[in-house]
Amino acid sequence: MPCTVIVGGFFGDEGKGKIVAYLARKDKADIAVRGGVGPNAGHTVMFHGKEHKTRMLPSALVSNQTRLMIGPGVLVNVDVLLQEIKNFSTNDRTFVDPQCGIIDSTHIDKDTSDPNLNKIGTTGTGTGPANADRALRKAHLARDSIELSEYLQDIPNTVNSSIDSDQTVLVEGTQGTFLSLYHGTYPYVTSKDVTASAICSDVGIGPKKVSEVMVVYKAYVTRVGSGPLEGELKQEETTSKGWTEFGSVTGRLRRASPFNFELAKRSVMLNSATQVALTKLDIVFPSDSGKREFNSLSSQAKNFVQKIEEVIGLRVAIIGTGQELEDIIDRRQ
Ligand code: IMP
Ligand code: MG
Protein backbone atom coordinates (compact mmCIF):
# COMPACT_ATOMS: atom_id res chain seq x y z
CA MET A 1 0.00 0.00 0.00
CA PRO A 2 1.72 3.20 -1.06
CA CYS A 3 0.48 5.67 1.58
CA THR A 4 -0.35 4.97 5.24
CA VAL A 5 -1.25 7.72 7.69
CA ILE A 6 -0.54 6.93 11.36
CA VAL A 7 -2.37 8.85 14.10
CA GLY A 8 -2.87 8.65 17.86
CA GLY A 9 -6.23 7.39 19.10
CA PHE A 10 -6.20 8.93 22.60
CA PHE A 11 -4.23 11.88 24.11
CA GLY A 12 -0.82 11.36 22.52
CA ASP A 13 1.96 9.09 23.77
CA GLU A 14 0.23 5.98 22.45
CA GLY A 15 3.54 4.73 21.13
CA LYS A 16 3.19 5.91 17.53
CA GLY A 17 6.95 6.37 17.30
CA LYS A 18 7.66 2.69 17.77
CA ILE A 19 4.92 1.65 15.34
CA VAL A 20 6.08 4.03 12.62
CA ALA A 21 9.69 2.93 13.08
CA TYR A 22 8.66 -0.72 12.85
CA LEU A 23 6.57 -0.15 9.70
CA ALA A 24 9.34 1.90 8.09
CA ARG A 25 11.84 -0.93 8.47
CA LYS A 26 9.48 -3.81 7.80
CA ASP A 27 7.85 -2.25 4.72
CA LYS A 28 11.06 -0.59 3.53
CA ALA A 29 9.44 2.84 3.41
CA ASP A 30 10.87 5.23 0.85
CA ILE A 31 9.58 8.29 2.69
CA ALA A 32 8.40 9.11 6.21
CA VAL A 33 6.86 12.54 6.42
CA ARG A 34 5.82 14.26 9.60
CA GLY A 35 2.56 16.10 10.01
CA GLY A 36 1.22 17.37 13.34
CA VAL A 37 1.98 20.37 15.50
CA GLY A 38 5.73 20.56 16.07
CA PRO A 39 8.36 19.97 18.77
CA ASN A 40 5.71 19.60 21.49
CA ALA A 41 5.63 15.94 20.42
CA GLY A 42 8.15 13.47 21.74
CA HIS A 43 8.66 10.08 20.13
CA THR A 44 10.75 7.33 21.64
CA VAL A 45 12.08 4.38 19.69
CA MET A 46 14.11 1.57 21.22
CA PHE A 47 16.25 -0.07 18.56
CA HIS A 48 18.93 -2.67 19.23
CA GLY A 49 19.02 -1.69 22.90
CA LYS A 50 19.51 2.01 22.16
CA GLU A 51 16.87 4.65 22.91
CA HIS A 52 16.21 7.22 20.16
CA LYS A 53 14.19 10.28 21.17
CA THR A 54 12.96 12.74 18.58
CA ARG A 55 10.80 15.85 18.61
CA MET A 56 11.20 17.09 15.04
CA LEU A 57 12.49 14.28 12.83
CA PRO A 58 10.15 11.43 11.86
CA SER A 59 10.65 8.41 14.15
CA ALA A 60 11.25 6.34 11.02
CA LEU A 61 14.85 7.56 11.22
CA VAL A 62 16.01 4.09 12.35
CA SER A 63 15.22 2.89 8.84
CA ASN A 64 18.35 3.93 6.96
CA GLN A 65 16.84 3.82 3.51
CA THR A 66 13.91 6.10 4.41
CA ARG A 67 13.97 9.78 3.48
CA LEU A 68 12.79 11.95 6.39
CA MET A 69 10.52 14.89 5.65
CA ILE A 70 8.66 17.61 7.50
CA GLY A 71 5.47 18.90 5.88
CA PRO A 72 4.50 22.59 5.57
CA GLY A 73 1.85 22.39 8.32
CA VAL A 74 4.45 21.53 10.97
CA LEU A 75 6.16 24.14 13.14
CA VAL A 76 9.94 23.88 13.29
CA ASN A 77 12.26 24.73 16.16
CA VAL A 78 15.45 25.20 14.14
CA ASP A 79 17.85 24.44 17.03
CA VAL A 80 16.02 21.25 17.99
CA LEU A 81 15.89 20.05 14.39
CA LEU A 82 19.57 20.79 13.63
CA GLN A 83 20.62 19.03 16.82
CA GLU A 84 18.61 15.92 15.88
CA ILE A 85 20.02 15.90 12.34
CA LYS A 86 23.49 15.99 13.90
CA ASN A 87 22.81 13.40 16.62
CA PHE A 88 21.29 10.91 14.22
CA SER A 89 23.53 11.77 11.22
CA THR A 90 20.57 12.23 8.89
CA ASN A 91 22.02 15.24 7.09
CA ASP A 92 21.74 13.69 3.62
CA ARG A 93 18.17 12.38 4.01
CA THR A 94 16.35 15.19 5.85
CA PHE A 95 14.04 17.53 3.93
CA VAL A 96 11.97 20.43 5.22
CA ASP A 97 9.22 22.29 3.39
CA PRO A 98 9.96 26.01 2.80
CA GLN A 99 6.49 26.84 4.17
CA CYS A 100 7.01 25.33 7.65
CA GLY A 101 6.39 27.94 10.35
CA ILE A 102 9.34 28.76 12.61
CA ILE A 103 9.19 28.88 16.41
CA ASP A 104 11.24 31.70 17.93
CA SER A 105 12.14 32.56 21.52
CA THR A 106 9.20 34.96 21.91
CA HIS A 107 6.83 32.03 21.27
CA ILE A 108 8.54 29.92 23.92
CA ASP A 109 8.50 32.83 26.41
CA LYS A 110 4.79 33.34 25.85
CA ASP A 111 4.02 29.62 26.10
CA THR A 112 5.77 29.40 29.47
CA SER A 113 4.51 32.70 30.99
CA ASP A 114 0.90 33.14 29.81
CA PRO A 115 -1.40 32.16 32.74
CA ASN A 116 -4.04 30.73 30.40
CA LEU A 117 -1.53 28.46 28.72
CA ASN A 118 -0.15 27.45 32.13
CA LYS A 119 -3.66 26.48 33.18
CA ILE A 120 -3.96 24.19 30.16
CA GLY A 121 -0.56 22.72 31.00
CA THR A 122 1.01 23.18 27.58
CA THR A 123 4.41 21.68 26.89
CA GLY A 124 5.96 25.18 26.88
CA THR A 125 7.61 24.55 23.52
CA GLY A 126 6.14 27.65 21.84
CA THR A 127 3.84 25.81 19.44
CA GLY A 128 0.55 27.50 20.45
CA PRO A 129 1.89 31.07 20.21
CA ALA A 130 3.70 30.23 16.94
CA ASN A 131 0.50 28.85 15.40
CA ALA A 132 -1.30 32.00 16.62
CA ASP A 133 1.31 34.14 14.82
CA ARG A 134 0.93 32.01 11.75
CA ALA A 135 -2.83 32.64 11.78
CA LEU A 136 -2.09 36.35 12.15
CA ARG A 137 0.22 36.03 9.15
CA LYS A 138 3.29 37.31 10.95
CA ALA A 139 5.24 34.08 11.63
CA HIS A 140 8.53 33.49 9.84
CA LEU A 141 8.77 30.49 7.58
CA ALA A 142 11.53 27.98 6.90
CA ARG A 143 12.21 29.70 3.57
CA ASP A 144 13.47 32.71 5.58
CA SER A 145 16.01 30.63 7.53
CA ILE A 146 19.59 30.51 6.26
CA GLU A 147 20.37 27.56 8.56
CA LEU A 148 17.66 25.46 6.96
CA SER A 149 18.43 26.41 3.35
CA GLU A 150 20.27 23.18 2.52
CA TYR A 151 17.30 21.05 3.66
CA LEU A 152 14.51 22.85 1.84
CA GLN A 153 12.39 20.89 -0.58
CA ASP A 154 8.82 21.11 -1.91
CA ILE A 155 7.41 18.34 0.31
CA PRO A 156 3.86 18.11 -1.12
CA ASN A 157 5.32 17.76 -4.60
CA THR A 158 7.80 15.07 -3.52
CA VAL A 159 5.25 13.10 -1.49
CA ASN A 160 2.54 13.18 -4.17
CA SER A 161 4.89 12.11 -6.95
CA SER A 162 6.27 9.30 -4.77
CA ILE A 163 2.78 7.98 -4.09
CA ASP A 164 1.96 8.24 -7.80
CA SER A 165 4.99 6.11 -8.63
CA ASP A 166 3.98 3.46 -6.06
CA GLN A 167 6.67 4.18 -3.51
CA THR A 168 5.90 3.42 0.14
CA VAL A 169 5.09 6.57 2.10
CA LEU A 170 4.39 6.78 5.83
CA VAL A 171 2.71 9.91 7.10
CA GLU A 172 3.46 10.36 10.79
CA GLY A 173 0.87 12.11 12.88
CA THR A 174 1.68 13.52 16.30
CA GLN A 175 -0.29 14.12 19.52
CA GLY A 176 -3.62 12.26 19.71
CA THR A 177 -7.21 12.58 18.51
CA PHE A 178 -8.56 14.03 21.77
CA LEU A 179 -5.89 16.73 21.87
CA SER A 180 -7.33 18.07 18.60
CA LEU A 181 -8.33 21.72 18.65
CA TYR A 182 -11.62 20.74 16.97
CA HIS A 183 -12.39 17.25 18.24
CA GLY A 184 -10.67 17.19 21.62
CA THR A 185 -11.46 18.30 25.15
CA TYR A 186 -11.31 22.06 24.44
CA PRO A 187 -9.74 24.20 25.87
CA TYR A 188 -7.42 21.44 27.13
CA VAL A 189 -6.10 20.67 23.68
CA THR A 190 -3.20 21.47 21.39
CA SER A 191 -3.15 24.37 18.94
CA LYS A 192 -4.57 22.69 15.83
CA ASP A 193 -6.48 19.70 14.56
CA VAL A 194 -4.42 16.50 14.71
CA THR A 195 -6.83 13.93 13.23
CA ALA A 196 -5.90 12.11 10.02
CA SER A 197 -7.47 14.72 7.73
CA ALA A 198 -5.36 17.46 9.30
CA ILE A 199 -2.20 15.35 9.18
CA CYS A 200 -2.78 14.85 5.43
CA SER A 201 -3.25 18.56 4.96
CA ASP A 202 -0.03 19.20 6.92
CA VAL A 203 1.98 17.28 4.34
CA GLY A 204 -0.02 18.37 1.29
CA ILE A 205 -1.89 15.22 0.27
CA GLY A 206 -5.62 15.01 -0.41
CA PRO A 207 -7.86 12.26 1.04
CA LYS A 208 -7.83 10.21 -2.16
CA LYS A 209 -4.07 9.67 -1.97
CA VAL A 210 -4.32 7.69 1.26
CA SER A 211 -4.49 3.89 1.20
CA GLU A 212 -4.65 3.15 4.94
CA VAL A 213 -5.28 5.15 8.11
CA MET A 214 -3.77 3.43 11.12
CA VAL A 215 -4.95 4.56 14.53
CA VAL A 216 -2.68 3.70 17.47
CA TYR A 217 -3.91 2.99 20.99
CA LYS A 218 -1.97 2.14 24.09
CA ALA A 219 -3.38 -0.70 26.23
CA TYR A 220 -4.22 1.96 28.85
CA VAL A 221 -4.74 5.71 28.48
CA THR A 222 -2.35 8.43 29.61
CA ARG A 223 -2.63 12.17 29.54
CA VAL A 224 -0.13 14.91 30.42
CA GLY A 225 -1.22 18.42 31.35
CA SER A 226 -4.73 19.40 32.43
CA GLY A 227 -8.14 18.38 31.14
CA PRO A 228 -10.67 15.61 31.67
CA LEU A 229 -9.57 11.99 31.89
CA GLU A 230 -12.44 9.61 32.50
CA GLY A 231 -11.67 6.82 34.94
CA GLU A 232 -8.46 8.52 36.05
CA LEU A 233 -6.56 6.41 38.57
CA LYS A 234 -5.04 7.71 41.76
CA GLN A 235 -1.28 7.95 41.50
CA GLU A 236 -0.81 5.00 43.90
CA GLU A 237 -2.99 2.84 41.65
CA THR A 238 -1.03 3.86 38.57
CA THR A 239 2.19 2.95 40.36
CA SER A 240 0.91 -0.40 41.61
CA LYS A 241 -0.23 -1.34 38.10
CA GLY A 242 3.19 -0.39 36.72
CA TRP A 243 1.65 2.22 34.40
CA THR A 244 3.82 5.10 35.60
CA GLU A 245 5.18 7.14 32.70
CA PHE A 246 6.89 10.50 32.36
CA GLY A 247 6.38 12.92 29.46
CA SER A 248 9.26 12.64 26.99
CA VAL A 249 9.29 16.40 26.26
CA THR A 250 8.36 17.85 29.65
CA GLY A 251 9.34 15.07 32.08
CA ARG A 252 5.95 15.47 33.77
CA LEU A 253 4.24 12.47 35.33
CA ARG A 254 1.54 11.20 33.01
CA ARG A 255 -1.95 10.74 34.41
CA ALA A 256 -3.44 7.32 33.62
CA SER A 257 -6.74 5.49 33.20
CA PRO A 258 -7.77 2.06 31.91
CA PHE A 259 -8.34 1.58 28.16
CA ASN A 260 -11.32 3.70 27.12
CA PHE A 261 -13.48 1.77 24.64
CA GLU A 262 -15.82 4.69 23.89
CA LEU A 263 -12.96 7.04 23.03
CA ALA A 264 -11.39 4.30 20.92
CA LYS A 265 -14.60 3.90 18.96
CA ARG A 266 -14.94 7.64 18.44
CA SER A 267 -11.37 8.01 17.22
CA VAL A 268 -11.97 5.29 14.61
CA MET A 269 -14.83 7.45 13.33
CA LEU A 270 -12.99 10.79 13.49
CA ASN A 271 -9.98 9.42 11.61
CA SER A 272 -11.83 6.97 9.32
CA ALA A 273 -9.36 4.38 10.53
CA THR A 274 -8.84 1.28 8.43
CA GLN A 275 -6.17 -0.34 10.63
CA VAL A 276 -5.47 -0.49 14.35
CA ALA A 277 -2.27 -0.85 16.34
CA LEU A 278 -2.21 -1.53 20.07
CA THR A 279 0.94 -0.83 22.09
CA LYS A 280 2.26 -1.81 25.51
CA LEU A 281 0.12 -4.92 25.87
CA ASP A 282 2.97 -6.30 28.03
CA ILE A 283 2.53 -3.51 30.58
CA VAL A 284 -1.05 -4.62 31.25
CA PHE A 285 -0.24 -8.33 30.83
CA PRO A 286 3.38 -8.74 31.98
CA SER A 287 3.45 -12.47 31.23
CA ASP A 288 3.03 -11.58 27.54
CA SER A 289 6.18 -9.50 27.39
CA GLY A 290 8.20 -9.95 24.19
CA LYS A 291 5.74 -12.33 22.51
CA ARG A 292 5.69 -12.16 18.71
CA GLU A 293 2.86 -14.57 17.86
CA PHE A 294 -0.81 -13.90 18.59
CA ASN A 295 -1.46 -17.54 19.44
CA SER A 296 1.14 -17.50 22.19
CA LEU A 297 -0.61 -14.69 24.11
CA SER A 298 -2.35 -15.46 27.40
CA SER A 299 -6.10 -15.90 27.18
CA GLN A 300 -6.61 -12.70 29.21
CA ALA A 301 -4.59 -10.70 26.67
CA LYS A 302 -6.37 -12.35 23.74
CA ASN A 303 -9.76 -11.57 25.31
CA PHE A 304 -8.76 -7.95 25.79
CA VAL A 305 -7.74 -7.64 22.13
CA GLN A 306 -10.93 -9.35 21.00
CA LYS A 307 -13.06 -7.04 23.11
CA ILE A 308 -11.41 -4.02 21.48
CA GLU A 309 -12.08 -5.53 18.06
CA GLU A 310 -15.74 -6.11 18.90
CA VAL A 311 -16.29 -2.57 20.15
CA ILE A 312 -14.49 -0.71 17.37
CA GLY A 313 -15.32 -3.07 14.52
CA LEU A 314 -11.75 -3.34 13.22
CA ARG A 315 -9.05 -5.96 13.55
CA VAL A 316 -6.11 -5.08 15.79
CA ALA A 317 -3.44 -5.73 13.18
CA ILE A 318 -0.30 -4.74 15.07
CA ILE A 319 0.37 -5.38 18.76
CA GLY A 320 3.35 -4.09 20.72
CA THR A 321 4.60 -6.46 23.42
CA GLY A 322 7.83 -4.83 24.57
CA GLN A 323 10.20 -1.91 24.29
CA GLU A 324 12.34 -3.25 21.45
CA LEU A 325 11.26 -2.35 17.94
CA GLU A 326 10.89 -6.01 17.00
CA ASP A 327 8.68 -6.83 20.01
CA ILE A 328 5.62 -6.81 17.78
CA ILE A 329 2.88 -9.16 16.69
CA ASP A 330 2.17 -8.31 13.05
CA ARG A 331 -1.22 -9.68 11.95
CA ARG A 332 -1.66 -7.50 8.88
CA GLN A 333 -3.23 -9.37 6.01
P1 IMP B 1 0.71 22.30 23.62
O1 IMP B 1 0.49 21.41 22.45
O2 IMP B 1 2.15 22.37 24.06
O3 IMP B 1 0.09 23.65 23.43
O4 IMP B 1 -0.05 21.65 24.88
C1 IMP B 1 -1.47 21.51 24.91
C2 IMP B 1 -1.86 20.21 25.57
O5 IMP B 1 -1.50 19.13 24.72
C3 IMP B 1 -1.16 19.92 26.90
O6 IMP B 1 -2.04 19.17 27.72
C4 IMP B 1 0.01 19.03 26.49
O7 IMP B 1 0.46 18.22 27.57
C5 IMP B 1 -0.63 18.22 25.40
N1 IMP B 1 0.34 17.71 24.40
C6 IMP B 1 0.88 18.38 23.35
N2 IMP B 1 1.68 17.57 22.64
C7 IMP B 1 1.64 16.36 23.23
C8 IMP B 1 2.25 15.10 22.91
O8 IMP B 1 2.98 14.92 21.95
N3 IMP B 1 1.95 14.08 23.76
C9 IMP B 1 1.10 14.23 24.83
N4 IMP B 1 0.53 15.38 25.14
C10 IMP B 1 0.79 16.45 24.35
MG1 MG C 1 5.04 11.42 23.05
Side-chain angles (χ1 to χ4, degrees):
M1 285 298 181
C3 179
T4 302
V5 181
I6 296 106
V7 293
F10 291 139
F11 298 96
D13 307 316
E14 299 91 353
K16 294 178 291 297
K18 175 194 165 113
I19 300 297
V20 171
Y22 169 81
L23 294 175
R25 286 180 58 82
K26 178 85 183 171
D27 299 351
K28 301 187 170 46
D30 298 286
I31 289 177
V33 54
R34 261 210 45 184
V37 186
N40 51 350
H43 294 305
T44 306
V45 178
M46 193 69 138
F47 181 52
H48 291 171
K50 191 164 175 272
E51 195 175 62
H52 298 73
K53 278 182 183 288
T54 69
R55 290 169 55 194
M56 291 278 17
L57 285 177
S59 352
L61 64 88
V62 296
S63 164
N64 290 330
Q65 73 195 93
T66 305
R67 281 176 291 155
L68 308 171
M69 306 193 175
I70 301 180
V74 178
L75 293 164
V76 171
N77 178 317
V78 177
D79 293 339
V80 172
L81 175 61
L82 293 176
Q83 190 62 49
E84 288 181 5
I85 292 173
K86 195 170 155 219
N87 289 352
F88 297 114
S89 309
T90 60
N91 196 55
D92 54 349
R93 57 185 180 112
T94 300
F95 305 91
V96 178
D97 194 86
Q99 304 243 81
C100 288
I102 297 294
I103 297 174
D104 64 35
S105 57
T106 66
H107 301 131
I108 295 172
D109 291 344
K110 181 134 203 256
D111 207 3
T112 47
S113 63
D114 181 311
N116 254 330
L117 295 173
N118 289 340
K119 204 172 71 190
I120 290 165
T122 66
T123 58
T125 52
T127 48
N131 270 335
D133 272 358
R134 180 129 198 194
L136 292 169
R137 268 79 26 107
K138 55 184 199 184
H140 292 290
L141 301 186
R143 67 184 184 209
D144 308 319
S145 160
I146 292 167
E147 288 170 291
L148 291 181
S149 59
E150 64 178 298
Y151 304 107
L152 298 184
Q153 190 174 100
D154 180 334
I155 299 300
N157 189 39
T158 310
V159 171
N160 278 280
S161 54
S162 299
I163 295 171
D164 292 345
S165 57
D166 256 358
Q167 293 195 353
T168 300
V169 175
L170 297 176
V171 182
E172 291 193 28
T174 61
Q175 286 75 41
T177 299
F178 300 102
L179 289 177
S180 161
L181 182 62
Y182 301 154
H183 305 292
T185 52
Y186 186 89
Y188 302 101
V189 293
T190 191
S191 53
K192 58 189 252 203
D193 184 20
V194 287
T195 58
S197 316
I199 301 299
C200 290
S201 166
D202 287 340
V203 305
I205 55 173
K208 294 189 110 176
K209 281 283 161 77
V210 176
S211 343
E212 302 283 351
V213 176
M214 180 178 283
V215 65
V216 183
Y217 308 114
K218 190 156 59 185
Y220 48 98
V221 182
T222 57
R223 172 162 206 171
V224 276
S226 318
L229 179 62
E230 210 193 305
E232 181 169 359
L233 301 177
K234 294 200 182 73
Q235 207 189 304
E236 309 86 77
E237 291 175 286
T238 308
T239 312
S240 73
K241 284 180 182 292
W243 295 1
T244 308
E245 293 181 11
F246 294 93
S248 56
V249 173
T250 56
R252 291 179 295 187
L253 188 66
R254 292 180 182 153
R255 302 154 60 201
S257 80
F259 191 91
N260 187 320
F261 290 88
E262 284 313 305
L263 288 186
K265 200 170 161 187
R266 189 166 175 83
S267 66
V268 165
M269 174 186 80
L270 291 169
N271 294 294
S272 32
T274 59
Q275 291 184 330
V276 171
L278 179 68
T279 64
K280 297 208 175 187
L281 189 70
D282 56 301
I283 304 293
V284 176
F285 303 99
S287 67
D288 291 301
S289 179
K291 296 207 175 147
R292 297 181 183 187
E293 298 285 338
F294 188 77
N295 285 336
S296 67
L297 289 178
S298 63
S299 54
Q300 292 94 318
K302 276 187 197 153
N303 289 343
F304 176 61
V305 172
Q306 277 153 7
K307 182 165 176 209
I308 296 174
E309 292 178 334
E310 268 162 40
V311 172
I312 66 176
L314 285 174
R315 182 180 159 88
V316 177
I318 299 227
I319 301 173
T321 57
Q323 276 196 315
E324 254 303 319
L325 197 63
E326 309 291 336
D327 286 336
I328 289 236
I329 297 169
D330 189 344
R331 309 161 76 209
R332 289 178 294 166
Q333 284 155 334

